[in-house]
Amino acid sequence: MPRPLRVAIVGAGPAGIYAADALMKSDAAAEPGVSIDLFERMPAPFGLIRYGVAPDHPRIKGIITALHQVLDKPQIRLFGNIDYPSDLNLDDLRQFYDAVIFSTGASADRALNIPGIELEGSYGAADFVSWFDGHPDVPRTWPLEAEKVAVLGVGNVALDVARILAKTGDELLPTEIPANVHAGLAANKALEVHVFGRRGPAQAKFSPMELRELDHSPNIEVIVNPEDIDYDEGSITTRRSNKQADMVASTLENWAIRDVGDRPHKLFLHFFESPTEVLGEDGRVVGLRTERTELDGTGNVKGTGRFTDWEVQSVYRAVGYLSSELPKLPFDEDSGTVPHEAGRVIEGGEHLASTYVTGWIKRGPVGLIGHTKGDANETVANLLADHRAGRLAAPAEPEEAAVTAFLEAAGVRYTTWDGWYKLDAAEKALGAAQGRERVKIVPRDGMLDASGA
Ligand SMILES: Cc1cc2nc3c(=O)[nH]c(=O)nc-3n(C[C@H](O)[C@H](O)[C@H](O)COP(=O)(O)OP(=O)(O)OC[C@H]3O[C@@H](n4cnc5c(N)ncnc54)[C@H](O)[C@@H]3O)c2cc1C
């Protein structure tokens, strides 16, 4: 008797959910159909939309509403609070499913190897983001004693970090930040935030909208030094061919020529300053040394040998995220991705049978939420091609009940999609009590209890 195609998706961030959506919208969804189980390490789904996107970006967080329509489908089940491989390993997954898609994303900071980076007061952006987004597995307090702060990197994460450091706690109170984050930010002493980029305005990786938004806070004075506005032939080519880069450069030019206002927190965007050392005293950050760079004609830069020491008491590096290796899967340390061909996991030159990747674990930690949709479509198209060609090995226990019996026998406490509705209602109720839309529940146990796990 024909049975549905059983697919496991490990990681319920946007990439995993879009993969489920692509499967549901494919020909395979017709009788006997597909049956999809999403396994997620956190008690709640949505990955970096919940634990990466900044709290003052409610429009982006609102993508969760669109993802609801996918997870509401009866053919899709969610198992939250389930870690691969400690709760369910690859052999277990093969026991229950025709195919497995890994969409475990990226959650750690890429290293920056400069002297002093290990000093107290030097932080990775990912850790700070996890703290202000109420991630259950990080400490509840964050040291915010520094009056002058450096942020290294000129991408959107650097902007998020700089903006959250420069806003006031009260400005962020209407968002979903939990009480411990509001209290931490209310005690934040930062008056100056300095963002540093090695290259110039034409090479900055900011999104134009995110950049312009910096200037909307009544508390943040954005300052750009006119000497940092410089272009070579390579930069001009970039601006001509890339509308986003051109918009970013234009915004920075406008900011460089205007008068500096009197908003209380100063946010400096520095270009052509390459961080060379975090300076310390008694094990603590007391400064940052940068080397002035200049354009070499191609849009790249070279050092000038002129150094500046900036007095700062903390340094945040926002130089990229990094994925973690997944046991039993190949891993490329340099790119921090699982080697693949159009989503098929490749080991020793061959497709690791029935195993696929999508999202940041596939493409690397670059691109917006929307980009994970295209990733998912490609991966799912190849999975279905393998299915049609009879290349997927049939699992020994394809019944939906088999996996729940397995988890229950192991005594694993898991959450479900119904559980998310309960957690969502509990967070909204917490918010309503304070006249806010939502207040996040932080502790894992609290999330599990509210989800009725
Ligand atoms: C700080 C920050 C801010 C951002 N802001 C924006 C923004 O404003 N707008 C925008 O469009 N994009 C933004 N992005 C980018 C966006 O978050 C990513 O494009 C997107 O989340 C990548 O999706 P993903 O599903 O591949 O990974 P993730 O979102 O990381 O999802 C992966 C999921 O897998 C789970 N997982 C990991 N390991 C395991 C395991 N071993 N077992 C089970 N589950 C596991 C994780 O818990 C997570 O839920 C931001 C990114 C960052 C880092």
Side-chain angles (χ1 to χ4, degrees):
M1 171 140 152
R3 62 168 178 84
L5 172 69
R6 294 276 288 135
V7 180
I9 300 178
V10 181
I17 299 173
Y18 283 133
D21 190 36
L23 281 162
M24 288 309 303
K25 287 179 173 152
S26 71
D27 299 348
E31 279 300 317
V34 282
S35 151
I36 303 160
D37 289 341
L38 280 147
F39 295 97
E40 168 56 50
R41 168 188 277 168
M42 306 302 295
F46 309 121
L48 285 171
I49 306 183
R50 186 172 161 98
Y51 292 119
V53 171
D56 56 347
H57 280 170
R59 196 179 54 82
I60 309 291
K61 296 253 182 209
I63 295 174
I64 285 177
T65 313
L67 297 180
H68 263 236
Q69 288 165 13
V70 179
L71 294 175
D72 275 337
K73 300 219 161 64
Q75 296 90 336
I76 302 177
R77 299 187 299 180
L78 173 73
F79 294 90
N81 202 40
I82 298 290
D83 180 69
Y84 172 88
S86 51
D87 296 318
L88 202 69
N89 64 32
L90 192 55
D91 293 336
D92 302 327
L93 289 165
R94 296 216 191 290
Q95 179 84 359
F96 303 121
Y97 300 94
D98 297 281
V100 184
I101 303 175
F102 287 89
S103 48
T104 46
S107 56
D109 282 292
R110 191 170 273 281
L112 177 68
N113 291 319
I114 58 172
I117 200 75
E118 73 297 339
L119 289 166
E120 205 184 319
S122 163
Y123 310 109
D127 292 336
F128 182 52
V129 168
S130 293
W131 173 75
F132 68 61
D133 252 342
H135 194 292
D137 302 337
V138 301
R140 299 290 180 268
T141 56
W142 191 269
L144 289 164
E145 288 91 31
E147 289 188 2
K148 295 183 184 178
V149 182
V151 178
L152 315 185
V154 282
N156 288 336
V157 176
L159 284 188
D160 285 343
V161 167
R163 196 181 62 253
I164 297 292
L165 285 167
K167 279 188 172 179
T168 63
D170 284 349
E171 207 176 343
L172 290 160
L173 191 57
T175 72
E176 62 186 27
I177 53 168
N180 67 303
V181 174
H182 178 243
L185 292 171
N188 179 13
K189 297 202 175 72
L191 295 173
E192 283 185 19
V193 178
H194 296 261
V195 178
F196 293 94
R198 285 177 53 241
R199 301 201 284 165
Q203 288 81 32
K205 299 284 177 242
F206 307 135
S207 302
M209 219 168 75
E210 276 230 20
L211 180 66
R212 283 198 300 268
E213 190 204 316
L214 261 194
D215 206 34
H216 298 166
S217 162
N219 294 303
I220 306 179
E221 197 63 51
V222 187
I223 301 167
V224 178
N225 183 345
E227 286 178 17
D228 286 358
I229 304 294
D230 194 19
Y231 307 105
D232 61 355
E233 217 162 290
S235 310
I236 291 163
T237 308
T238 301
R239 286 189 70 171
R240 283 215 185 101
S241 61
N242 181 337
K243 202 170 149 200
Q244 305 258 320
D246 187 55
M247 286 160 79
V248 165
S250 298
T251 300
L252 294 168
E253 282 169 13
N254 290 336
W255 288 348
I257 54 171
R258 69 180 177 183
D259 293 334
V260 174
D262 57 3
R263 288 182 258 188
H265 297 163
K266 310 292 180 224
L267 198 160
F268 297 83
L269 297 172
H270 303 281
F271 298 93
F272 302 111
E273 295 290 350
S274 175
T276 56
E277 185 175 350
V278 180
L279 306 170
E281 230 173 68
D282 301 328
R284 275 208 60 85
V285 173
V286 294
L288 176 76
R289 180 165 298 159
T290 62
E291 181 181 10
R292 188 74 185 167
T293 61
E294 61 188 17
L295 288 159
D296 67 0
T298 68
N300 279 320
V301 289
K302 54 183 189 229
T304 61
R306 281 184 282 127
F307 292 86
T308 307
D309 288 352
W310 308 82
E311 187 201 325
V312 292
Q313 299 83 41
S314 65
V315 173
Y316 291 75
R317 61 182 189 283
V319 294
Y321 271 52
L322 195 63
S323 298
S324 306
E325 189 169 349
L326 290 162
K328 295 270 174 93
L329 258 62
F331 193 68
D332 181 316
E333 294 284 348
D334 291 335
S335 63
T337 57
V338 171
H340 70 95
E341 272 173 25
R344 292 184 176 104
V345 174
I346 300 293
E347 189 171 44
E350 303 273 316
H351 179 199
L352 182 62
S354 314
T355 314
Y356 304 83
V357 279
T358 192
W360 274 16
I361 188 74
K362 171 188 179 190
R363 70 187 349 247
V366 283
L368 298 174
I369 294 161
H371 295 123
T372 62
K373 202 169 189 172
D375 284 344
N377 288 341
E378 181 189 61
T379 295
V380 164
N382 284 318
L383 185 158
L384 293 176
D386 292 344
H387 174 49
R388 282 190 290 271
R391 288 193 286 265
L392 303 181
E397 297 184 73
E399 308 77 32
E400 287 186 357
V403 71
T404 24
F406 172 86
L407 293 173
E408 273 155 27
V412 181
R413 198 176 174 204
Y414 62 84
T415 59
T416 61
W417 182 233
D418 280 346
W420 160 256
Y421 272 98
K422 290 182 190 150
L423 174 64
D424 187 44
E427 291 189 338
K428 284 178 174 154
L430 269 181
Q434 300 173 29
R436 298 163 63 190
E437 199 171 312
R438 169 193 301 275
V439 172
K440 257 186 190 167
I441 295 176
V442 181
R444 196 174 270 265
D445 278 348
M447 291 178 76
L448 291 171
D449 291 345
S451 305

